Amino acid sequence: MTSECSGADGGVGSTKRPRHVKVLTCLRFLAKGDYLSETTDIHGISKSSGCLAVHRVVDAVCKALQNIEFPTRREHISRTKASFYKIAGFPNVIGAIDGTQIPIQGMGTDDEHLFTNAVCKFPGATHDAFILQNSSLPNLIESLQDGGWLIGDSGYPLKEWLMTPISNPRSGQEERYNSAHCRTRNAIERAFGVLKARFRCLHETGGCLPYRPDKCTKIIECAMRLHNLAINERVPLMVETEEEDDVQQPFAPVIPNNCTAAMLRDRLVQRV
């Protein structure tokens, strides 16, 4: 069963509980992944007050921090492409895409990368390609003035703006392409690893989020916005990180008329 809050304790700025106690309660819950009762005991408040504080602080953070933003300005895009190119010589990349699973109750340095787009609403069994199709990313990328592409694993369909690995490389050049693709795309795996190390409530070792799915999505969004803030403010990560395992999904179906994307990838193979 999911756990919901009961009682009333005022807003984030309520006089019943000092604001800093509510903020610290929320941050400890996000960072440690402890049972909420243990977190509230440390701060000397009831579990119901702590539950209300977590959700209200999460909502306030999501409204105040508007820092999950896909690059659209020309200078920002150029910096992003240059940063990805330094990893393995893979050109024209404006982002790496993948999905990650967050356990929720009742539901089936150079390593630190910002999240520029997030979709937090689908259950874990949903295919990554379906999530992409039902997101704002396709329209966003197709509207970029200078173009560019995302890189994703074989679970995504090959498109003019989405480069995927070659399923059966037949030459040294294709193998080098796959190697450069893999090393570049690992940025998203490392980003998920750092996010879950910084906010253990999202990691499987922290148990699961014991709330309704709509509240869980807000907590995940809040953690990602705080993660971006920590990177921008150069807050050091005080715990060891582990790169997230790459969960292989079934190959996305091949689109027969996608000749342009295949030709683009063939040309890219000759460059990498």
Side-chain angles (χ1 to χ4, degrees):
M1 296 177 60
T2 55
S3 172
E4 299 302 336
C5 310
S6 60
D9 198 43
V12 173
S14 168
T15 57
K16 293 185 179 181
R17 296 291 174 188
R19 180 179 297 181
H20 74 275
V21 172
K22 297 179 181 181
V23 173
L24 290 174
T25 298
C26 179
L27 290 178
R28 183 176 182 88
F29 172 75
L30 294 174
K32 302 293 288 184
D34 294 336
Y35 288 111
L36 184 59
S37 58
E38 296 177 6
T39 300
T40 53
D41 285 347
I42 290 172
H43 292 287
I45 61 177
S46 68
K47 183 178 178 182
S48 61
S49 295
C51 183
L52 287 167
V54 166
H55 293 306
R56 284 171 176 161
V57 172
V58 161
D59 286 342
V61 168
C62 289
K63 291 177 182 177
L65 287 181
Q66 298 300 311
N67 60 357
I68 299 179
E69 182 181 8
F70 198 82
T72 54
R73 296 191 306 273
R74 186 169 278 176
E75 63 275 14
H76 192 179
I77 292 173
S78 296
R79 287 198 303 270
T80 301
K81 290 180 179 180
S83 178
F84 274 107
Y85 184 79
K86 289 178 182 177
I87 297 174
F90 205 104
N92 211 36
V93 175
I94 54 175
I97 186 171
D98 203 357
T100 188
Q101 296 187 4
I102 308 294
I104 67 176
Q105 190 171 339
M107 296 286 291
T109 67
D110 288 338
D111 286 339
E112 298 195 68
H113 297 271
L114 291 172
F115 291 100
T116 59
N117 189 278
V119 180
C120 309
K121 63 181 181 180
F122 290 99
T126 309
H127 199 288
D128 289 345
F130 179 84
I131 297 174
L132 172 62
Q133 181 182 348
N134 289 273
S135 75
S136 63
L137 268 179
N139 289 336
L140 249 176
I141 297 171
E142 289 174 351
S143 67
L144 292 179
Q145 186 175 2
D146 292 332
W149 46 61
L150 299 174
I151 50 175
D153 63 22
S154 57
Y156 293 98
L158 176 66
K159 293 181 177 292
E160 294 178 39
W161 48 267
L162 175 56
M163 292 294 106
T164 59
I166 297 171
S167 57
N168 295 298
R170 293 173 293 179
S171 67
Q173 286 178 315
E174 290 184 347
E175 289 177 354
R176 284 192 294 273
Y177 165 89
N178 274 4
S179 176
H181 183 284
C182 178
R183 287 157 56 199
T184 306
R185 193 183 63 81
N186 275 348
I188 187 63
E189 308 295 347
R190 293 194 298 273
F192 283 140
V194 173
L195 173 71
K196 293 182 180 182
R198 183 170 267 134
F199 299 103
R200 301 302 289 185
C201 70
L202 306 183
H203 195 278
E204 58 184 5
T205 59
C208 62
L209 296 175
Y211 304 109
R212 295 197 317 260
D214 60 316
K215 292 184 180 293
C216 291
T217 59
K218 274 293 184 183
I219 290 174
I220 297 166
E221 178 188 345
C222 176
M224 297 179 87
R225 293 189 183 280
L226 290 172
H227 168 87
N228 282 1
L229 178 66
I231 294 174
N232 288 332
E233 297 296 326
R234 301 184 183 278
V235 178
L237 185 65
M238 306 304 292
V239 297
E240 292 186 4
T241 65
E242 54 185 49
E243 190 171 304
E244 181 154 292
D245 292 335
D246 187 10
V247 179
Q248 293 296 325
Q249 296 202 357
F251 279 91
V254 176
I255 302 174
N257 296 325
N258 205 8
C259 298
T260 305
M263 290 170 61
L264 274 174
R265 188 171 66 177
D266 287 343
R267 288 203 299 267
L268 184 56
V269 167
Q270 306 305 315
R271 292 183 56 186
V272 174

